[in-house]
Amino acid sequence: MKIAIVSDLHIGYERFKEDAQRQASSAIEAATAMADAIIIPGDVFDKRAPPPDVIAKGIEIFRDAGRKGSLSGRVVGFIGNRKIYTDVPIVAIPGTHERTSAERENVLQLLGLAGLIVDTSEATTIIGKGGEKVAVYGLGGLSEERVKDKLKELDPKPVEGAFNIFMFHQSIYELLPFSDDFLRMDDLPTGFDLYVNGHIHNRVETTAHGKELLIPGSTVLTQLKEGEQEEKGFILFDTATGKHTFVPTGSRRFVVKRIEAEEATPESVGRLCETALESAMSGANDNPVIKLYVSGKIAGGFTITDMPIHNVVRRYSDRAYIEVDSSGLRSDEMQEDIENLRDSKIGELSIRELGESILFSRLKEVGFDSDIDVSELFNILSTQAREKAIKDAALMLSKTAQEGRQATSPAQFSSERDIPQQP
Ligand SMILES: [Mn+2]
């Protein structure tokens, strides 16, 4: 059976909204024409709660793929705690971008409920064609801290007599060694014939438990990292031969340019930027995405604000999408400031440690529970997690207030205004 692995379509991705839709559509269309079944390891949509026009686009893409009738496999079995509403073999899991709190429908599940795809999250979907069977077990994207325990709890098993695929959507430590929480190859369940992952936006072909582990990468450019200059597309895997090919489906050209300026003056930086952008355009009229890194040392007497980088970029703005990173451009003064800041210590404590210890003593003063993880709280308050934490807390408070209200006799309060306010 020919299985198309299409991942991280990110329909609704705002920076390149049209690209995301067009490229998702052409990838699914090409996959429909070439494969017997399509499997999607997460991030079909870019947002947890996409607006209706974005959901509509997703519906169109999958409805058309199903109606064409050229996917010759059929869903012949499903082992899991939900119903499925189609036998068209487009089998998917939600990614981290679609993840909702447990027990709440996510947007990918909606496509499943509409019978446009089969949501195989924490379930096995069996696809049949002729006498052959392919079983796909899916694990939707989870927070990295939870995934190992969840896998142990679920303990996914291959299906006898089928070609077994384990499909997931996580960071993998061996590929991204940034956190001990990340799943390791060894944590993956054994006994499967093929492992398929999403989440990582560039293509990866490696192995787990001696079997192939394939990551097709996203169909749309999102991170503007060097590795994303490769072609976008999907992987076509043939279970009969165990071989796979990459099918490019076209995406906007992406070029990374690096400029290293020595004793940079406004004139020299302007000229370097222009040359770099001209060579990135390479005479083509294809509206490329260009990432321009500017680094080096600024000549004495000038500061970074004297450098005409944005003026040059503006001149190209109708012919290219350009993102500039000039954080590598330094003046002597800046260098000193940065080093001072980095080494900032007050007594023997770093600024962070000092902050945590002040927070801890203030919490004690106001009689906070001593069980509280001060480091974690400090993290929440000092990063962008703050907004979410406040929102969650507000939600919880309003829920508690509502429950309190229900518990009180209705006669006690004659109007909304009479309800005691939270301090
Ligand atoms: Mn993604």
Side-chain angles (χ1 to χ4, degrees), residues 7-10 42-43 46 96-97 169 198-201 218 222:
S7 193
D8 292 78
L9 307 157
H10 286 271
D43 285 359
D46 188 64
T96 35
H97 279 249
H169 185 99
H199 196 51
I200 294 169
H201 282 194
S218 61
T222 56

Side-chain angles (χ1 to χ4, degrees), residues 221-286:
L221 192 62
T222 56
Q223 294 160 329
L224 307 196
K225 285 186 190 156
E226 207 119 32
E228 280 197 304
Q229 289 177 99
E230 66 181 22
E231 284 177 301
K232 299 286 183 193
F234 64 89
I235 290 175
L236 191 63
F237 186 94
D238 189 342
T239 57
T241 61
K243 294 218 158 61
H244 68 269
T245 50
F246 179 74
V247 183
T249 48
S251 77
R252 206 204 285 241
R253 192 161 61 89
F254 173 51
V255 194
V256 175
K257 285 283 169 188
R258 290 179 187 275
I259 295 170
E260 175 78 38
E262 295 252 352
E263 292 300 315
T265 62
E267 206 205 338
S268 71
V269 165
R271 209 178 329 110
L272 282 170
C273 286
E274 211 168 279
T275 314
L277 292 179
E278 277 303 331
S279 94
M281 304 291 298
S282 66
N285 204 9
D286 57 354

